[in-house]
Amino acid sequence: MLAAASLASGLTACGEREKPVRLEGGVFTERKPADRARGEALAAEGMGLLQSADSLRIVVEMERGPAAGGTRRSQEVGLHLDRDGNCAGTFDAGNGQRGDLIMVAGGATYVRFTEDSLEAMRTMARARGPQALATVEERIALVRGKYMKLPAGAGGRGGRAVPGAQCDLDTMLRELDGGEDTFDGQVRAEAATYRYGKHVIPLVDPNPVGGEANAMYVAAEGKPYITALVMNEDGRRMTMHMSDYGKPVEAHAPPAAQTVDASELGGPAGADLFEV
């Protein structure tokens, strides 16, 4: 999901806690610091719990650019998804790209834009001239307050029906597992604290290179389920919040009276979904 492929794969291959070191006259065991050994064990267990989850609620927040001058851009997607391709949630990718999303396993995808998104589309179309405005006004009249129905395959199982939305848990976890080594298999456990309203143990990069350290947060009580991942790289910050491990996904097709087929918008189904 989003740039999730670069987040935590290094944590699934944490190194050994002890490493034999040979010196002249014998061998002794070099032990890792206790906080490193504990951090890597918790990280490995947390990633194991994540990879074995049948369903998951995930909220991804992306921020890019400098905060000064109001030029920082943000994006957020919140989804409850499972391994069967069921998915439900919300997305916010900026002007004209905010709304609700439902994907039903083996069926269609449904997208409903917020009122402010429709107004943003109208504003952009107005800047392009009367013809563009007339076209967009027709679309707005069709979709206001309704879900647009994309046929099965338009978004595709594992595909992105909206900007940044990965609606298949299998695919998302494969991407997580196949990314770059964010922590190089090394993390350090800090004292339990509260982050994002939860009691957690922070697991941080022991050797950060400039800026704020990347971090994983695992539950401080019970099993160490991952509750959040934080990544900082090249002026971009991404935070993934995880919850509702194993909770069934409620993804049902809206009533026909509340849907409009995407083909009625003109062009290939869904092709003009986010275009003005």
Side-chain angles (χ1 to χ4, degrees), residues 89-155:
T90 61
F91 59 93
D92 181 350
N95 283 344
Q97 299 184 42
R98 299 186 181 98
D100 304 317
L101 168 70
I102 300 172
M103 181 180 286
V104 182
T109 298
Y110 301 87
V111 177
R112 181 174 62 184
F113 286 109
T114 62
E115 190 64 31
D116 67 314
S117 286
L118 297 179
E119 185 57 37
M121 291 179 189
R122 177 183 285 114
T123 299
M124 289 185 285
R126 185 178 294 114
R128 292 184 57 185
Q131 185 173 352
L133 179 59
T135 299
V136 169
E137 289 286 12
E138 290 179 6
R139 294 177 186 171
I140 289 176
L142 284 171
V143 305
R144 173 173 279 118
K146 295 185 178 181
Y147 286 90
M148 285 186 294
K149 179 181 179 181
L150 281 70

Side-chain angles (χ1 to χ4, degrees), residues 17-189:
R17 295 190 189 184
E18 299 177 354
K19 180 172 62 176
V21 178
R22 183 174 297 278
L23 296 177
E24 184 178 355
V27 176
F28 74 93
T29 299
E30 180 185 45
R31 294 181 178 273
K32 290 184 178 180
D35 59 349
R36 283 273 305 278
R38 181 170 182 247
E40 292 176 14
L42 287 170
E45 188 174 355
M47 287 301 295
L49 291 168
L50 175 62
Q51 294 289 347
S52 64
D54 292 325
S55 62
L56 183 70
R57 187 179 303 278
I58 184 165
V59 177
V60 180
E61 301 169 359
M62 292 271 297
E63 295 179 309
R64 300 183 183 183
T71 59
R72 194 163 181 83
R73 299 176 59 188
S74 62
Q75 177 177 337
E76 180 175 322
V77 177
L79 300 172
H80 192 194
L81 63 163
D82 63 23
R83 294 183 184 273
D84 295 322
N86 294 297
C87 178
T90 61
F91 59 93
D92 181 350
N95 283 344
Q97 299 184 42
R98 299 186 181 98
D100 304 317
L101 168 70
I102 300 172
M103 181 180 286
V104 182
T109 298
Y110 301 87
V111 177
R112 181 174 62 184
F113 286 109
T114 62
E115 190 64 31
D116 67 314
S117 286
L118 297 179
E119 185 57 37
M121 291 179 189
R122 177 183 285 114
T123 299
M124 289 185 285
R126 185 178 294 114
R128 292 184 57 185
Q131 185 173 352
L133 179 59
T135 299
V136 169
E137 289 286 12
E138 290 179 6
R139 294 177 186 171
I140 289 176
L142 284 171
V143 305
R144 173 173 279 118
K146 295 185 178 181
Y147 286 90
M148 285 186 294
K149 179 181 179 181
L150 281 70
R157 183 176 177 210
R160 288 170 170 78
V162 298
Q166 177 55 266
C167 259
D168 183 81
L169 185 57
D170 276 334
T171 303
M172 188 200 78
L173 292 178
R174 281 197 301 271
E175 290 184 356
L176 261 175
D177 194 43
E180 300 172 357
D181 288 353
T182 300
F183 292 87
D184 294 325
Q186 301 178 19
V187 288
R188 171 173 53 83

Side-chain angles (χ1 to χ4, degrees), residues 1 3-11 58 60 175-176 179-183 214 229-231 238-240 242:
M1 171 178 293
S6 66
L7 275 176
S9 62
L11 297 175
I58 184 165
V60 180
E175 290 184 356
L176 261 175
E180 300 172 357
D181 288 353
T182 300
F183 292 87
N214 300 325
L229 289 165
V230 179
M231 283 288 298
M238 176 161 53
T239 306
M240 301 178 70
M242 301 172 181

